[in-house]
Amino acid sequence: MRVTVDGMVVSLADDGASLLDAVRAAGVELPTLCHDDRMSPAGSCRICLVRSGGTVVAACVTPAVDGAVVEVATEDVATLRRESLELIVSALPPSALDGAEDGTTELARVCDSLGIPPETARGRGGRGRDDSHPYVHLDRDLCIACGRCVRMCAEVQGTFALTLVGRGSDTVVAPGTGGSWAESDCVSCGGCVDTCPTGALTEPGLPIGGAKPIATRTRTTCGYCGVGCSLEVLTRDGEVAAVLPDRDGPLNRGHACVKGRFAHGFLHSPERLTRPLLRRGGRLEPVSWAEALDHVARGLRDAIAAGGPDAVAAISSARATNEENYLIQKFMRVAIGTNNVDNCSRLCHAPSAAGLTAAFGLSGGTDSFDDVEKADCLLVVGANPVEAHPVVGARLLQRVLRGSRLIVADPRSVGLARHADVHLRPRPGTNVALFHGLAHVLLTEDLVDAEFLRHRADGLAELTALLADYPPERVAAVTGVPVGELVAAARLYGRAEQPAIVYGLGVTEHLHGTDGVRALANLAILRGAVGTDHGFGVNPLRGQNNVQGASDMGALPDLLPGYGKVIDPAARVRAETVWGVPVPDRPGLRIPEMFAAAREGTLRALWVIGEDVCATDPDATRVAEALEACPLVVCNELFLSETAQRADVVLPVASWLEKDGTFVNFDRRFQRVRPALDPPGQARTDFAAVHALAAVLGVDLGCRTSAAALAECGRLAPIFGGLSHERLDREGAIPWPCQDPGHPGEAKLYRKRFATPDGLAHLSACPYLPPGETPDDDYPLILVTGRRWAHYNSGSMTRHTGNIRLDPVDRLDLHPADAARHGLHDGDPVTVESRHGRAALTARVSDETAPGQVFCAFHFPSSGVNTLTSDRADTVTSCPEYKVTAVRLRPLA
Ligand SMILES: Nc1nc2c(c(=O)[nH]1)N[C@H]1C(S)=C(S)[C@@H](COP(=O)(O)OP(=O)(O)OC[C@H]3O[C@@H](n4cnc5c(=O)[nH]c(N)nc54)[C@H](O)[C@@H]3O)O[C@H]1N2
Ligand SMILES: Nc1nc2c(c(=O)[nH]1)N[C@H]1C(S)=C(S)[C@@H](COP(=O)(O)OP(=O)(O)OC[C@H]3O[C@@H](n4cnc5c(=O)[nH]c(N)nc54)[C@H](O)[C@@H]3O)O[C@H]1N2
Ligand code: SF4
Ligand code: FES
Ligand SMILES: [Mo]
């Protein structure tokens, strides 16, 4: 299509381009105010008026047609634009056009470009402010009712929390629920603040007008969840003034969530650790680094003298960088001589690593999220991305609002479930039966890809035989999912042209989590929807910012960097060649085995780096016993966590905003992490702490810088061979596998063959087996544990930020019927008891959970949620059964 703009001819694609697009393509200047490219146009401000076909129209809402002739610069339309703007500005109070360097608003800039002088603003104001919310403040007098915030909240974030109220020039944004902003449905993504052109919506760190200039802007990657949002950190006087989402961020595209964007107050919390601590006479006392490290070195030597290298173990941190994880596992293998190193992948997606490797060959998700998002049918299983991966949740919802079908499989009615075509609500712990039921329907209704199954997959005969036992009626009896819904879901997934599977901990954190992953993978294989152009595979929403990377770097007892097995002589030789020492050939202890060994007395030194095992590992009472029994417990921490409180030595360390390196996000992308601040007091990075301890032990680990650590890792792990800090600085995010520096990385895997030994995808014929705990007369309810949007895991960071005002207590969700039976009301204190422990929570009556099921998070260690959970764990990987615990309730007397 060709359009003429002020005499210039431009060609445009025929895909719904507007006249504004044409004007921009011609490079002609045209101001806008109510427009934001990320959202549908509103056409309400009339600043973008142009003449086309003889009439004056708003360019942003007028479709471009072939042959259109557009006048922009003509004097009379320019005057109309000025008058529209004058009308808007004249209603605003004089302060509206103030502006300091960083506070300059889009409105001030547009006024400047159209020559509207500040005096034009002469409204009376007096409509008041809403400062009830910790992060989003509203000055009603500055609102021009352009509706950008409302559209941002609906179309980009998907929360629909805002609306416009009032009439004419009194129209103003307000929470849709009425009441104050703090009481609204707002989830504090900050999108409304970003898009507001006038400064009516602001955040505390970035006041409009008179603010001190920002000193530094640092581009980095969020250190909370595995989405891996790209962020720009603005600092002033050694403090974070604001964190803004990066418009060019490959995952977030200018969006973020309450954690990455606002939860940085922990940095300067008075409770932040700034000095090493050493236990003396039962109390932790501040000491120098030298003294702390000497004590640790002595303890390690004693442990090795008494029990050999395998008497020492380390839990590495999925919160730390790749380079730190690489160095930690190298320390254990080279300086100590043991494979006893593990990371919190054990607690969440170890079953994904095992299941996906068995099915397809590699341990990561099969596809790039960008492609997943093109799907015409999304199957979201046991994941609550709206709360746990909010930017992914928002992008999935955008896809659904644009027409993709959605199947949600989750016992709870949360987040995306409200927008689902079919919401399957299996009883917790019955996934394998559910997935087999879906597979049964795919087979019997011939919704499978026979060609793919013949040439690229293996195991169909065994699976077909097994599935005979899983007709929908039997599956309905096991899972509680009605036959009609099961069949409807199978048909949606089976008939879609581009189906995608996205899943979370509701699949993995079970007694048979690995079977769950494999049974789920069966569906994609049956459909030929993995490694082909007919779908977007099977994609785990990995949890921690760098849990994928911690495992990639070999912080695992059985695997070396890049997933070479410690039992494979060839893989050991590759590492030994680079490290210059022999690598032990026996797999080390997994996290639960470490605790068991400590209780038995065979583990004599444990280094816990960035995991609050006493709060977040299951059956926490027994974990505390293990630490108690272990002669030396060292803990690298930001705060005096439950674990740090029980340690013999606590080393104060830097957080993600204070260090350099890389993280790998949930879809296998390496991204750079850069320090925006110095660590407080004597805190050091985990990287520096590991080097310092190695030095005291007389071992030189090499790789002095984090760039050198990644380079060294690439030399022994071929799948990372093409990665370097320098390249990431130049190119941004790069997915693994990436074998050489000229290769862009493989965002989508298995196009030609699967990475299994025979090159085929492997179907799994694992039977359904019941969960480890089932309700009985003593413990009649099933407790499911998981996440809430405002807090992060142990809560050590988010509880030390303004987020505590958004979510101040640990609540137990229970169905109104169960609440009535127990005489409980919303807000009542309630004691939850299991066979293993007891927790104190606050009741939240809600129909999000089914009758007989209750739900809580674990963000407040003081409530004791993980004393409830059992030590039952996935039979293949030891991932805890966090999702199923039999409990009973007692109202607090
Ligand atoms: N706000 C916030 N975000 C986070 C975190 C946080 O603590 N807070 N933690 C991060 C981490 S470490 C992780 S691993 C991710 C986790 O992210 P998710 O996996 O999305 O988190 P969960 O809430 O633990 O569990 C997901 C869902 O599984 C469902 N479920 C439970 N049992 C079953 C079952 O038997 N079958 C099915 N189909 N579903 C079931 C639960 O109802 C729950 O809604 O989130 C990350 N992001
Ligand atoms: N009941 C129940 N329990 C669960 C789960 C569940 O669903 N239900 N989910 C499990 C899952 S999936 C996970 S991943 C775990 C998470 O459990 P944890 O890993 O224990 O949780 P986090 O709070 O993320 O981080 C642990 C600690 O690391 C510190 N930290 C942060 N950054 C750094 C750093 O750069 N270096 C160092 N050294 N320390 C740092 C924090 O202060 C915090 O105390 O919880 C598990 N526990
Ligand atoms: S979605 Fe995840 S990565 Fe993005 S800002 Fe939130 S916590 Fe950070
Ligand atoms: S930008 Fe087009 S009408 Fe507001
Ligand atoms: Mo996790």
Side-chain angles (χ1 to χ4, degrees), residues 786-788 791-796 799 807 810 857-861:
R787 281 136 183 92
R788 310 251 190 217
H791 288 296
Y792 195 78
N793 291 342
S794 71
S796 75
R799 280 182 288 103
D807 188 3
D810 245 348
F858 58 106
H859 304 315
F860 292 76

Side-chain angles (χ1 to χ4, degrees), residues 221-231 245 251-252 255-262 385 387-393 543 545 656 792:
T221 305
C222 180
Y224 281 106
C225 90
V227 173
C229 292
S230 184
L231 303 173
L251 256 301
N252 55 319
H255 202 48
C257 85
V258 63
K259 300 182 298 300
R261 167 106 206 226
F262 293 114
E387 297 194 60
H389 298 82
V391 166
V392 158
N545 55 316
W656 60 279
Y792 195 78

Side-chain angles (χ1 to χ4, degrees), residues 341-362:
V341 57
D342 205 354
N343 76 83
C344 79
S345 174
R346 185 69 53 212
L347 310 181
C348 58
H349 277 285
S352 294
L356 294 175
T357 303
F360 305 123
L362 292 173

Side-chain angles (χ1 to χ4, degrees), residues 225-226 259 348-349 381-385 387-390 409-412 414 426-431 434-435 504-507 509-510 541-544 784-793 855 858-859 883-884:
C225 90
K259 300 182 298 300
C348 58
H349 277 285
V381 190
N384 183 16
E387 297 194 60
H389 298 82
D410 196 306
R412 297 188 304 140
V414 287
R427 282 186 199 106
T430 62
N431 285 326
L434 178 74
F435 305 153
L505 300 180
V507 175
E509 286 177 342
H510 288 287
L541 290 174
R542 301 297 308 252
Q544 302 264 39
V784 175
T785 58
R787 281 136 183 92
R788 310 251 190 217
W789 63 276
H791 288 296
Y792 195 78
N793 291 342
F855 175 85
F858 58 106
H859 304 315
K883 298 295 184 247
V884 185

Side-chain angles (χ1 to χ4, degrees), residues 527-691:
R527 275 293 327 262
V530 51
T532 64
D533 293 328
H534 314 304
F536 302 108
V538 188
N539 302 281
L541 290 174
R542 301 297 308 252
Q544 302 264 39
N545 55 316
N546 199 35
V547 64
Q548 179 72 52
S551 299
D552 294 348
M553 294 296 116
L556 290 171
D558 53 340
L559 297 170
L560 294 165
Y563 297 98
K565 292 190 171 76
V566 299
I567 54 166
D568 172 7
R572 283 202 311 277
V573 166
R574 268 201 312 275
E576 287 163 358
T577 312
V578 176
W579 294 342
V581 294
V583 172
D585 59 3
R586 210 156 44 101
L589 300 174
R590 298 171 171 183
I591 291 173
E593 292 166 347
M594 293 177 191
F595 299 141
R599 285 189 296 258
E600 284 157 17
T602 51
L603 188 75
R604 294 162 184 274
L606 177 62
W607 192 1
V608 186
I609 301 170
E611 183 170 321
D612 191 0
V613 293
C614 292
T616 56
D617 278 53
D619 203 3
T621 314
R622 303 267 293 146
V623 176
E625 284 166 22
L627 299 198
E628 202 57 44
C630 189
L632 176 71
V633 176
V634 184
C635 184
N636 287 25
E637 252 301 339
L638 272 52
F639 290 95
L640 201 59
S641 64
E642 299 290 311
T643 307
Q645 286 168 37
R646 291 169 173 82
D648 302 290
V649 181
V650 182
L651 302 175
V653 290
S655 74
W656 60 279
L657 285 153
E658 298 151 341
K659 59 187 166 189
D660 175 82
T662 55
F663 293 153
V664 185
N665 81 333
F666 79 101
D667 72 348
R668 291 179 277 107
R669 291 181 226 216
F670 274 79
Q671 302 191 91
R672 283 283 274 127
V673 179
R674 302 184 183 88
L677 297 172
D678 291 329
Q682 295 176 26
R684 299 179 181 178
T685 61
D686 290 302
F687 196 79
V690 177
H691 267 310

